[in-house]
Amino acid sequence: MAGERQRGVGRPNENVLSRVLIVETALDLLDLHGRDGFGMRDIARRLGVRPSALYNHVASKDDVFRGIREVIATRITVAPFVTQRWDEALITWAHSYREVFASHPPTIALLAVMPFETDSEIFGTYEQVIEVLYREGWERAEALNILVAMESFILGSALDAAAPADMMSPGDRADIPHFSAAYAERDMRTADSGAGPADQAFEAGLNLLIAGLEAQRSARAASRVAHDR
Amino acid sequence: MAGERQRGVGRPNENVLSRVLIVETALDLLDLHGRDGFGMRDIARRLGVRPSALYNHVASKDDVFRGIREVIATRITVAPFVTQRWDEALITWAHSYREVFASHPPTIALLAVMPFETDSEIFGTYEQVIEVLYREGWERAEALNILVAMESFILGSALDAAAPADMMSPGDRADIPHFSAAYAERDMRTADSGAGPADQAFEAGLNLLIAGLEAQRSARAASRVAHDR
DNA sequence: ACCTGAACACCGTTCAAGT
DNA sequence: ACCTGAACACCGTTCAAGT
């Protein structure tokens, strides 16, 4: 990069760019500098190329985002569902899902509202989540709602993890005693356990969701027994 | 707007602008046109003013965002906690919270990672959530984690509601039968009930969270009885 | 103090010209 | 086909000049 000669005009002997190279450079820049310092011109500079050269490989900045989304979706694709019990599998999946997004904070908001391509690898994981819930007795439409709800929680938690730590700090307001006390007590817990506030909240919420599922499942089992009798 | 005369140079007799006017115009534009067509120049045009005039009342575009966030936070501030049982109060709160954000989709991602000012009105609601959970037996640090988890779920659900409806459409892929069946079955449920997919998922997740809380609470009550004996 | 008008330093994107 | 170089139509923001 430092000692690179200036390239002359005309088509070079071998390609300097490619779609994947552009997408990965864009993701690097996003991680390094956040949404600032992330533009087509920045990507081009980092690749030692003129901005207009990018448009031979990507259609637009939005197209670069689509590429980033697919790269990230691929990384979520883990398959813990074959070996683990249904609840453990869901917990493992949720953790890995959140971790992928949390390690690329600026992408969360970008990607959460962007449709997947139909050939996306994400659907492999979706399939497994629906299947495991269906096998455990949930209707498939309800399983899909549960899947979406869990994704919403995971993405929201990743957003929260990306927020500044003192986002909810009450300062020294006297009119909100319970909240201030809760904030102080949580800080102590954070110091003790080493788990950050966002991590604690994620675990708390995931516990509640899984506990809610357990309750639905055992209620279903009980009513089945009553019915069979 | 149509018949306005061109204003000459120099300070006008009475102010045409104010901070709140700018912020509310910005929110209107955001709702109308999304993130496109939303810029300082657009705000200025809608107010019949030159872009540079805005900077007499706001420091920057970021400052406008901060204003929008505070307007929205104020609207969430409902107080159903005094009259309702703890679980009903949480459900009411979650619904109103989501509704405020869902009616301003483009703001969600913008505002979710932005710290609140210490004098924000949002803390009034936080105080009530912590208080009601504390009264029902949760430790305050844990109550705060539950509050944050519920917010994450709510914001994530609002993001989901803002996403295009066919975001997860599997097309006619043959390799994901359970997911495709679930998608079709959910469509039927949507047609029957009138509740959109995002609404169904939100209700499913909220049910799970509340059920999880009920389970924790009754487990606590049971262990207390055992201990007292 | 609060507006206009002109300007500055940026963007994403297009397109002809070169190999 | 794939690069450079110049250009276009935009941004957010600054600042002098005017009342």
Side-chain angles (χ1 to χ4, degrees), chain B residues 162-180:
Chain B
D166 62 343
M167 165 140 177
M168 285 170 72
S169 171
D172 50 1
R173 282 175 61 163
D175 58 329
I176 45 175
H178 286 94
F179 182 81
S180 298

PDB file of all heavy atoms in Angstrom, chain B residues 162-180:
ATOM      1  N   ALA B 162     -40.792  -2.818  10.759  1.00  0.00           N
ATOM      2  CA  ALA B 162     -40.427  -1.854   9.725  1.00  0.00           C
ATOM      3  C   ALA B 162     -39.869  -2.528   8.484  1.00  0.00           C
ATOM      4  O   ALA B 162     -39.767  -1.905   7.427  1.00  0.00           O
ATOM      5  CB  ALA B 162     -39.400  -0.865  10.279  1.00  0.00           C
ATOM      6  N   ALA B 163     -39.524  -3.792   8.615  1.00  0.00           N
ATOM      7  CA  ALA B 163     -38.926  -4.503   7.491  1.00  0.00           C
ATOM      8  C   ALA B 163     -40.004  -4.874   6.474  1.00  0.00           C
ATOM      9  O   ALA B 163     -41.176  -4.968   6.817  1.00  0.00           O
ATOM     10  CB  ALA B 163     -38.209  -5.763   7.984  1.00  0.00           C
ATOM     11  N   PRO B 164     -39.607  -5.059   5.225  1.00  0.00           N
ATOM     12  CA  PRO B 164     -40.583  -5.478   4.215  1.00  0.00           C
ATOM     13  C   PRO B 164     -41.220  -6.814   4.577  1.00  0.00           C
ATOM     14  O   PRO B 164     -40.588  -7.674   5.169  1.00  0.00           O
ATOM     15  CB  PRO B 164     -39.749  -5.590   2.936  1.00  0.00           C
ATOM     16  CG  PRO B 164     -38.328  -5.537   3.360  1.00  0.00           C
ATOM     17  CD  PRO B 164     -38.285  -4.837   4.660  1.00  0.00           C
ATOM     18  N   ALA B 165     -42.479  -6.997   4.205  1.00  0.00           N
ATOM     19  CA  ALA B 165     -43.259  -8.153   4.649  1.00  0.00           C
ATOM     20  C   ALA B 165     -42.676  -9.466   4.121  1.00  0.00           C
ATOM     21  O   ALA B 165     -42.735 -10.488   4.794  1.00  0.00           O
ATOM     22  CB  ALA B 165     -44.706  -8.009   4.198  1.00  0.00           C
ATOM     23  N   ASP B 166     -42.112  -9.410   2.943  1.00  0.00           N
ATOM     24  CA  ASP B 166     -41.629 -10.658   2.340  1.00  0.00           C
ATOM     25  C   ASP B 166     -40.155 -10.906   2.623  1.00  0.00           C
ATOM     26  O   ASP B 166     -39.491 -11.664   1.937  1.00  0.00           O
ATOM     27  CB  ASP B 166     -41.858 -10.631   0.829  1.00  0.00           C
ATOM     28  CG  ASP B 166     -41.081  -9.484   0.182  1.00  0.00           C
ATOM     29  OD1 ASP B 166     -40.660  -8.573   0.927  1.00  0.00           O
ATOM     30  OD2 ASP B 166     -40.899  -9.513  -1.035  1.00  0.00           O
ATOM     31  N   MET B 167     -39.660 -10.271   3.680  1.00  0.00           N
ATOM     32  CA  MET B 167     -38.238 -10.352   4.011  1.00  0.00           C
ATOM     33  C   MET B 167     -37.734 -11.786   4.146  1.00  0.00           C
ATOM     34  O   MET B 167     -36.639 -12.099   3.732  1.00  0.00           O
ATOM     35  CB  MET B 167     -38.044  -9.611   5.328  1.00  0.00           C
ATOM     36  CG  MET B 167     -36.740  -9.877   5.999  1.00  0.00           C
ATOM     37  SD  MET B 167     -36.106  -8.371   6.701  1.00  0.00           S
ATOM     38  CE  MET B 167     -34.640  -8.987   7.506  1.00  0.00           C
ATOM     39  N   MET B 168     -38.573 -12.637   4.724  1.00  0.00           N
ATOM     40  CA  MET B 168     -38.140 -14.012   4.980  1.00  0.00           C
ATOM     41  C   MET B 168     -38.751 -14.999   3.993  1.00  0.00           C
ATOM     42  O   MET B 168     -38.684 -16.206   4.217  1.00  0.00           O
ATOM     43  CB  MET B 168     -38.517 -14.430   6.399  1.00  0.00           C
ATOM     44  CG  MET B 168     -37.626 -13.826   7.464  1.00  0.00           C
ATOM     45  SD  MET B 168     -38.282 -14.098   9.121  1.00  0.00           S
ATOM     46  CE  MET B 168     -37.979 -15.846   9.339  1.00  0.00           C
ATOM     47  N   SER B 169     -39.312 -14.508   2.939  1.00  0.00           N
ATOM     48  CA  SER B 169     -39.980 -15.425   2.016  1.00  0.00           C
ATOM     49  C   SER B 169     -39.008 -16.457   1.447  1.00  0.00           C
ATOM     50  O   SER B 169     -37.969 -16.104   0.902  1.00  0.00           O
ATOM     51  CB  SER B 169     -40.615 -14.634   0.874  1.00  0.00           C
ATOM     52  OG  SER B 169     -41.074 -15.534  -0.109  1.00  0.00           O
ATOM     53  N   PRO B 170     -39.358 -17.737   1.549  1.00  0.00           N
ATOM     54  CA  PRO B 170     -38.452 -18.793   1.086  1.00  0.00           C
ATOM     55  C   PRO B 170     -38.546 -19.050  -0.416  1.00  0.00           C
ATOM     56  O   PRO B 170     -37.815 -19.875  -0.931  1.00  0.00           O
ATOM     57  CB  PRO B 170     -38.944 -20.026   1.858  1.00  0.00           C
ATOM     58  CG  PRO B 170     -40.400 -19.769   2.053  1.00  0.00           C
ATOM     59  CD  PRO B 170     -40.570 -18.281   2.174  1.00  0.00           C
ATOM     60  N   GLY B 171     -39.438 -18.325  -1.118  1.00  0.00           N
ATOM     61  CA  GLY B 171     -39.621 -18.647  -2.529  1.00  0.00           C
ATOM     62  C   GLY B 171     -40.141 -20.067  -2.660  1.00  0.00           C
ATOM     63  O   GLY B 171     -40.969 -20.497  -1.865  1.00  0.00           O
ATOM     64  N   ASP B 172     -39.652 -20.798  -3.638  1.00  0.00           N
ATOM     65  CA  ASP B 172     -40.098 -22.191  -3.742  1.00  0.00           C
ATOM     66  C   ASP B 172     -38.906 -23.141  -3.645  1.00  0.00           C
ATOM     67  O   ASP B 172     -38.746 -24.066  -4.436  1.00  0.00           O
ATOM     68  CB  ASP B 172     -40.886 -22.433  -5.030  1.00  0.00           C
ATOM     69  CG  ASP B 172     -40.146 -21.895  -6.243  1.00  0.00           C
ATOM     70  OD1 ASP B 172     -39.022 -21.368  -6.061  1.00  0.00           O
ATOM     71  OD2 ASP B 172     -40.674 -22.020  -7.353  1.00  0.00           O
ATOM     72  N   ARG B 173     -38.083 -22.870  -2.677  1.00  0.00           N
ATOM     73  CA  ARG B 173     -36.955 -23.774  -2.424  1.00  0.00           C
ATOM     74  C   ARG B 173     -37.474 -25.101  -1.884  1.00  0.00           C
ATOM     75  O   ARG B 173     -38.349 -25.139  -1.026  1.00  0.00           O
ATOM     76  CB  ARG B 173     -36.006 -23.144  -1.405  1.00  0.00           C
ATOM     77  CG  ARG B 173     -35.114 -22.082  -1.993  1.00  0.00           C
ATOM     78  CD  ARG B 173     -34.286 -21.416  -0.929  1.00  0.00           C
ATOM     79  NE  ARG B 173     -33.414 -22.366  -0.245  1.00  0.00           N
ATOM     80  CZ  ARG B 173     -32.367 -21.993   0.489  1.00  0.00           C
ATOM     81  NH1 ARG B 173     -32.093 -20.709   0.652  1.00  0.00           N
ATOM     82  NH2 ARG B 173     -31.629 -22.884   1.092  1.00  0.00           N
ATOM     83  N   ALA B 174     -36.916 -26.194  -2.361  1.00  0.00           N
ATOM     84  CA  ALA B 174     -37.379 -27.522  -1.953  1.00  0.00           C
ATOM     85  C   ALA B 174     -36.593 -28.056  -0.755  1.00  0.00           C
ATOM     86  O   ALA B 174     -37.004 -29.004  -0.108  1.00  0.00           O
ATOM     87  CB  ALA B 174     -37.271 -28.499  -3.120  1.00  0.00           C
ATOM     88  N   ASP B 175     -35.469 -27.412  -0.444  1.00  0.00           N
ATOM     89  CA  ASP B 175     -34.581 -27.991   0.574  1.00  0.00           C
ATOM     90  C   ASP B 175     -34.922 -27.555   1.996  1.00  0.00           C
ATOM     91  O   ASP B 175     -34.231 -27.919   2.943  1.00  0.00           O
ATOM     92  CB  ASP B 175     -33.128 -27.619   0.251  1.00  0.00           C
ATOM     93  CG  ASP B 175     -32.932 -26.114   0.188  1.00  0.00           C
ATOM     94  OD1 ASP B 175     -33.885 -25.406  -0.189  1.00  0.00           O
ATOM     95  OD2 ASP B 175     -31.828 -25.638   0.523  1.00  0.00           O
ATOM     96  N   ILE B 176     -35.987 -26.731   2.141  1.00  0.00           N
ATOM     97  CA  ILE B 176     -36.335 -26.266   3.486  1.00  0.00           C
ATOM     98  C   ILE B 176     -37.826 -26.477   3.727  1.00  0.00           C
ATOM     99  O   ILE B 176     -38.587 -25.521   3.897  1.00  0.00           O
ATOM    100  CB  ILE B 176     -35.944 -24.786   3.686  1.00  0.00           C
ATOM    101  CG1 ILE B 176     -36.369 -23.953   2.463  1.00  0.00           C
ATOM    102  CG2 ILE B 176     -34.456 -24.649   3.918  1.00  0.00           C
ATOM    103  CD1 ILE B 176     -36.128 -22.461   2.656  1.00  0.00           C
ATOM    104  N   PRO B 177     -38.267 -27.736   3.762  1.00  0.00           N
ATOM    105  CA  PRO B 177     -39.701 -28.052   3.801  1.00  0.00           C
ATOM    106  C   PRO B 177     -40.405 -27.551   5.060  1.00  0.00           C
ATOM    107  O   PRO B 177     -41.520 -27.024   4.955  1.00  0.00           O
ATOM    108  CB  PRO B 177     -39.707 -29.588   3.759  1.00  0.00           C
ATOM    109  CG  PRO B 177     -38.363 -30.010   4.253  1.00  0.00           C
ATOM    110  CD  PRO B 177     -37.416 -28.951   3.803  1.00  0.00           C
ATOM    111  N   HIS B 178     -39.797 -27.714   6.218  1.00  0.00           N
ATOM    112  CA  HIS B 178     -40.459 -27.285   7.442  1.00  0.00           C
ATOM    113  C   HIS B 178     -40.659 -25.776   7.446  1.00  0.00           C
ATOM    114  O   HIS B 178     -41.714 -25.273   7.818  1.00  0.00           O
ATOM    115  CB  HIS B 178     -39.645 -27.697   8.673  1.00  0.00           C
ATOM    116  CG  HIS B 178     -39.711 -29.154   8.970  1.00  0.00           C
ATOM    117  ND1 HIS B 178     -38.772 -30.046   8.511  1.00  0.00           N
ATOM    118  CD2 HIS B 178     -40.619 -29.899   9.649  1.00  0.00           C
ATOM    119  CE1 HIS B 178     -39.079 -31.276   8.921  1.00  0.00           C
ATOM    120  NE2 HIS B 178     -40.199 -31.211   9.611  1.00  0.00           N
ATOM    121  N   PHE B 179     -39.623 -25.073   7.038  1.00  0.00           N
ATOM    122  CA  PHE B 179     -39.735 -23.617   7.028  1.00  0.00           C
ATOM    123  C   PHE B 179     -40.782 -23.150   6.017  1.00  0.00           C
ATOM    124  O   PHE B 179     -41.607 -22.276   6.317  1.00  0.00           O
ATOM    125  CB  PHE B 179     -38.380 -22.977   6.718  1.00  0.00           C
ATOM    126  CG  PHE B 179     -38.426 -21.476   6.746  1.00  0.00           C
ATOM    127  CD1 PHE B 179     -38.358 -20.787   7.948  1.00  0.00           C
ATOM    128  CD2 PHE B 179     -38.573 -20.744   5.569  1.00  0.00           C
ATOM    129  CE1 PHE B 179     -38.432 -19.413   7.987  1.00  0.00           C
ATOM    130  CE2 PHE B 179     -38.653 -19.358   5.600  1.00  0.00           C
ATOM    131  CZ  PHE B 179     -38.574 -18.692   6.811  1.00  0.00           C
ATOM    132  N   SER B 180     -40.765 -23.735   4.837  1.00  0.00           N
ATOM    133  CA  SER B 180     -41.741 -23.346   3.816  1.00  0.00           C
ATOM    134  C   SER B 180     -43.165 -23.609   4.280  1.00  0.00           C
ATOM    135  O   SER B 180     -44.065 -22.783   4.086  1.00  0.00           O
ATOM    136  CB  SER B 180     -41.466 -24.115   2.516  1.00  0.00           C
ATOM    137  OG  SER B 180     -40.182 -23.785   2.017  1.00  0.00           O
TER     138      SER B 180
END
